[in-house]
Amino acid sequence: MLKNQIISRFVTVYLFVGAIGVLIVLKTLYLQVIEHKKWSEKAQLQTIRDMIIEPQRGDIYSDEHRLLATSLPFYEIRMDMRSNGLKEEIFTQKIDSLADALSDLFADRTKFQYLKELKEAYTAGNRYYLIQKGVNFTQLKKMKTFPIFNRGRNKGGFIVIQENQRNKPFKSLAARTIGRLRNKGENHNVIGLEGAFDQELRGREGVRLMRKLSNNVWMPLNDENEVDPQDGYDLVTTLDVNIQDATEKALRRQLMAQKAHHGTAIVMEVATGAIRAIANLSISSDSVYRESYNYAVGEGTEPGSTFKLASIIVALEDNKIKLSDTIQTQNGIWNLYGFSIKDSKEGGHGLITAREAFEISSNVGIAKLIEKHYRDRPEEFVSRLYHMGLNQKLNIKIRGEGEPYIKYTTDKLWTRISLAQMSIGYEVILTPLQILSFYNAVANNGKLIRPQFASAIEYQGKVIQKFEPQVINPAICSQKTIDLAKQLLRGVVVRGTAMNINGSRYTIAGKTGTAKIFDNDTKTYIDEYKASFVGYFPADVPKYSCFVMISSPKTGLYYGNTVAAPVFKEIAESIYFQEVKNMESRPILVRNPDAIIPYTKNGDKNDLRDLLT
């Protein structure tokens, strides 16, 4: 009985094991015969696949075709020791000379070290032996002439893999505006012009068939399997290297002198909106001023007194005021609904005209004018600001433009003091570039032009696309009002707050601005300021407009005329002298007609002209 039970169990186990064996055999046959094609294809995908060939990214140029950003090719050189055409007798005859040439070129190993390593790799049959990384084009040309390598890929096992690295010949100059790409492992956005024109610059990818070797190394197969990439287009910007350099230097000097937190300066061509320079500098942790954020494009803040131009234009356009109208500013303090509006001059200005209120930047004077004429219908004031486009983004190509904020009377934040506050540049938000564009429109006889950072797209030296000036608003107001606004802006420099930058070589028109900084965390104004100056030159025939802002100076000076205006003047003078030099005796910029030409004795005519112009 027990014996029969043991036999029965043994047979059961035997049959079970046998059944499993049969199933394994059947499964193996099924995989090898029925699904052979399917699994072969999957295995092929694991060892052979298409790899992307990156195209050569297009270059970025300044307006005068000076190189601002380019992709420099670097190469990784490998060697296929089992290449079909690489015969043992050739390797033996030439390897000594190859080792000698490699040692001379790179000087990182002796000839004998190269010789030993190459022989070991050949003996091991290495299909993808690394010779050198980071090889430049000049070195590559020399390597193609080396023994064995000069036989090419199939007969000499010479494998070249190209990698492109972005380079800026002028280093940090306009770095934030030019932008940058993502490096491997980085998640930041593609910014600046690199990001705005990424589609045009990046080109079209190619494809290369690659085989997987050991250690997850991939080796390219025959060249006939490749689909060549198409290189990217080149971008010609509106930036002028000389103006950009002068702008950055002037801004940096003042930031350092005033120990300020950050600042921005922009130069725009009046007629076209072309940005000739844009500088953004802030103090870094190592106390060096660098470009870390595009304040000109992205930082929206309360503009302060530079907004008074918009307020006065509204009142003039609506025929509410004349420049000869008088306002009683008394002691420079006006209490409005329990809120005090103050002038910077202690003791106030007393009775002044509307013209004087603007030129000396009287907060009380401007606020009283606007409150008097729009108190009962404040929506008319705001609607006129909207008509001039101050509530709209400029929609420039570069990403990150700040949102302007000109609140309407139905806004939940509108209060009884909002009208007066807005008239002097508070309770409104604008970016530096938006403010400059508005002033540029005044210089351009009312035509509001979209700021332009690119002038053309090129490919192999041929223009593919040309960017023409884009008009946002053909007339922000009447020509009569524009003419009066120009008089006021010139008066600021001749008689008003910016008399310190009134020069004799050329004329300047503009407006100073000083605004307290609002802390978003504490929701209060702190004891720090932003000083600004915005205007254009020459005043009679405007060619360039310019905006300068210095934030949080720490030396005790914080007014726009003493902190920002000198930077404006330095930039203007640099441009003036550049254009005088370029045009020799017929400069583009118009001199001040009131300038006194000094008496000189005999001398070289060219030297005297350079000295006196």
Side-chain angles (χ1 to χ4, degrees):
M1 186 69 177
L2 180 60
K3 181 178 179 181
N4 291 337
Q5 289 179 349
I6 293 172
I7 292 173
S8 175
R9 291 175 181 174
F10 178 78
V11 170
T12 301
V13 172
Y14 179 80
L15 291 174
F16 179 74
V17 173
I20 291 176
V22 170
L23 289 173
I24 291 172
V25 171
L26 291 174
K27 185 65 174 179
T28 303
L29 290 172
Y30 177 79
L31 293 173
Q32 289 182 341
V33 178
I34 306 301
E35 292 192 343
H36 174 75
K37 183 178 179 181
K38 171 186 173 182
W39 292 106
S40 294
E41 290 175 351
K42 285 193 174 183
Q44 187 81 345
L45 288 173
Q46 296 297 317
T47 57
I48 298 178
R49 68 171 59 166
D50 287 334
M51 295 289 193
I52 298 299
I53 306 176
E54 294 293 336
Q56 178 83 0
R57 189 172 179 85
D59 294 333
I60 298 178
Y61 293 95
S62 69
D63 184 64
E64 65 272 35
H65 273 75
R66 297 169 76 175
L67 196 59
L68 299 177
T70 186
S71 292
L72 297 180
F74 288 87
Y75 305 90
E76 184 175 291
I77 309 300
R78 292 182 178 268
M79 187 174 181
D80 182 3
M81 298 297 186
R82 290 169 59 188
S83 179
N84 292 333
L86 184 56
K87 305 301 182 184
E88 184 174 359
E89 59 183 288
I90 297 295
F91 182 85
T92 303
Q93 290 175 7
K94 304 291 185 178
I95 191 61
D96 190 76
S97 299
L98 175 60
D100 195 18
L102 290 171
S103 181
D104 285 344
L105 180 60
F106 297 110
D108 58 341
R109 280 165 278 181
T110 66
K111 167 189 173 180
F112 300 104
Q113 287 174 317
Y114 266 112
L115 186 62
K116 178 177 180 292
E117 292 170 7
L118 288 167
K119 285 182 176 179
E120 288 176 350
Y122 185 78
T123 302
N126 195 320
R127 298 300 306 268
Y128 206 49
Y129 176 67
L130 177 64
I131 300 294
Q132 197 69 242
K133 288 185 177 181
V135 175
N136 61 40
F137 183 70
T138 303
Q139 292 171 327
L140 175 65
K141 286 179 65 177
K142 291 181 180 179
M143 293 182 76
K144 287 181 176 179
T145 66
F146 287 179
I148 301 180
F149 287 172
N150 59 12
R151 297 167 59 86
R153 178 167 178 171
N154 292 328
K155 293 183 179 181
F158 188 54
I159 300 172
V160 179
I161 301 171
Q162 180 175 328
E163 294 180 349
N164 296 322
Q165 296 179 14
R166 207 62 171 163
N167 180 265
K168 294 175 182 174
F170 287 97
K171 304 303 179 184
S172 63
L173 194 75
R176 192 72 188 187
T177 303
I178 295 169
R180 65 169 181 157
L181 303 173
R182 290 187 186 93
N183 296 318
K184 291 180 180 179
E186 292 184 336
N187 296 318
H188 66 77
N189 292 327
V190 180
I191 60 173
L193 293 169
E194 292 276 20
F197 292 90
D198 183 53
Q199 185 173 353
E200 293 85 352
L201 289 164
R202 69 186 177 197
R204 189 181 65 230
E205 296 173 335
V207 179
R208 173 183 291 143
L209 196 61
M210 305 281 283
R211 182 192 297 277
K212 186 178 181 181
L213 303 179
S214 59
N215 299 324
N216 201 32
V217 174
W218 293 82
M219 183 183 78
L221 296 179
N222 295 333
D223 294 340
E224 58 264 22
N225 294 307
E226 292 187 6
V227 176
D228 291 333
Q230 178 180 311
D231 292 342
Y233 293 147
D234 296 329
L235 175 67
V236 182
T237 72
T238 59
L239 298 174
D240 183 298
V241 169
N242 292 328
I243 297 177
Q244 179 70 37
D245 183 54
T247 300
E248 286 193 18
K249 285 179 178 177
L251 180 63
R252 180 177 279 107
R253 272 192 289 268
Q254 187 68 324
L255 289 171
M256 293 174 65
Q258 302 300 329
K259 300 178 182 178
H261 179 268
H262 70 268
T264 185
I266 321 163
V267 179
M268 180 189 293
E269 194 171 74
V270 170
T272 65
I275 300 297
R276 296 306 183 195
I278 179 168
N280 301 279
L281 297 172
S282 58
I283 193 74
S284 59
S285 57
D286 56 355
S287 300
V288 176
Y289 285 97
R290 295 189 175 92
E291 285 210 331
S292 60
Y293 179 72
N294 198 330
Y295 295 100
V297 170
E299 186 184 40
T301 59
E302 293 174 306
S305 293
T306 56
F307 195 79
K308 290 173 182 174
L309 177 64
S311 301
I312 209 79
I313 284 177
V314 168
L316 287 169
E317 188 70 1
D318 287 342
N319 294 314
K320 301 286 189 183
I321 66 168
K322 295 182 177 63
L323 296 185
S324 58
D325 290 350
T326 57
I327 316 104
Q328 179 55 257
T329 65
Q330 296 176 325
N331 63 349
I333 301 175
W334 182 37
N335 293 309
L336 180 66
Y337 305 115
F339 181 82
S340 294
I341 294 177
K342 300 177 181 179
D343 282 336
S344 59
K345 181 184 176 182
E346 188 175 347
H349 299 284
L351 185 67
I352 57 176
T353 64
R355 180 189 296 276
E356 290 171 328
F358 185 85
E359 292 177 353
I360 62 178
S361 201
S362 169
N363 291 331
V364 174
I366 299 298
K368 275 192 169 184
L369 277 174
I370 299 304
E371 182 71 17
K372 174 183 177 181
H373 294 289
Y374 293 95
R375 176 175 51 233
D376 297 330
R377 297 184 64 84
E379 64 275 7
E380 290 183 2
F381 176 80
V382 181
S383 295
R384 181 67 70 180
L385 296 176
Y386 283 13
H387 173 76
M388 293 190 292
L390 286 168
N391 63 319
Q392 298 293 324
K393 293 174 73 171
L394 297 167
N395 292 319
I396 57 176
K397 285 286 289 184
I398 289 180
R399 301 170 191 170
E401 181 185 0
E403 191 79 37
Y405 175 57
I406 309 291
K407 63 183 172 184
Y408 201 69
T409 54
T410 55
D411 193 301
K412 64 180 181 180
L413 295 178
W414 184 274
T415 68
R416 291 189 297 175
I417 64 168
S418 289
L419 180 63
Q421 281 284 81
M422 290 173 65
S423 71
I424 58 174
Y426 289 94
E427 297 191 27
V428 295
I429 300 293
L430 291 171
T431 68
L433 190 57
Q434 290 160 359
I435 298 168
L436 175 61
S437 297
F438 177 69
Y439 274 74
N440 193 82
V442 173
N444 203 21
N445 289 319
K447 186 185 294 184
L448 180 63
I449 305 287
R450 179 170 288 113
Q452 186 167 300
F453 292 85
S455 59
I457 299 290
E458 297 182 348
Y459 186 67
Q460 296 180 350
K462 295 181 179 179
V463 176
I464 303 298
Q465 181 181 1
K466 192 171 180 62
F467 298 104
E468 300 295 339
Q470 297 179 0
V471 178
I472 300 175
N473 188 341
I476 62 171
C477 61
S478 66
Q479 187 61 50
K480 177 183 177 182
T481 299
I482 289 293
D483 292 341
L484 292 173
K486 286 184 175 180
Q487 290 179 28
L488 290 172
L489 292 171
R490 179 62 183 145
V492 169
V493 180
V494 175
R495 296 176 296 274
T497 55
M499 285 191 296
N500 58 310
I501 64 167
N502 189 27
S504 59
R505 296 188 183 96
Y506 53 89
T507 55
I508 294 174
K511 181 71 183 74
T512 55
T514 307
K516 266 203 164 189
I517 295 176
F518 186 79
D519 190 318
N520 287 315
D521 294 330
T522 62
K523 304 300 180 185
T524 58
Y525 288 97
I526 59 177
D527 195 24
E528 291 189 17
Y529 298 83
K530 287 191 176 183
S532 57
F533 185 87
V534 56
Y536 51 86
F537 58 95
D540 300 326
V541 188
K543 181 173 175 60
Y544 296 105
S545 59
C546 179
F547 177 93
V548 177
M549 183 275 292
I550 306 290
S551 182
S552 300
K554 300 293 193 302
T555 61
L557 298 176
Y558 54 81
Y559 287 114
N561 65 329
T562 55
V563 176
V567 180
F568 182 104
K569 184 177 182 181
E570 184 176 343
I571 294 169
E573 286 188 342
S574 176
I575 294 173
Y576 171 81
F577 283 118
Q578 286 179 36
E579 298 208 352
V580 167
K581 183 177 180 181
N582 291 339
M583 298 299 291
E584 295 185 347
S585 61
R586 194 172 61 86
I588 293 176
L589 297 182
V590 179
R591 297 188 190 93
N592 186 343
D594 299 326
I596 299 173
I597 306 299
Y599 168 77
T600 59
K601 295 183 177 180
N602 294 338
D604 184 87
K605 180 179 71 174
N606 293 327
D607 289 343
L608 288 173
R609 184 177 62 230
D610 290 342
L611 177 65
L612 300 176
T613 56

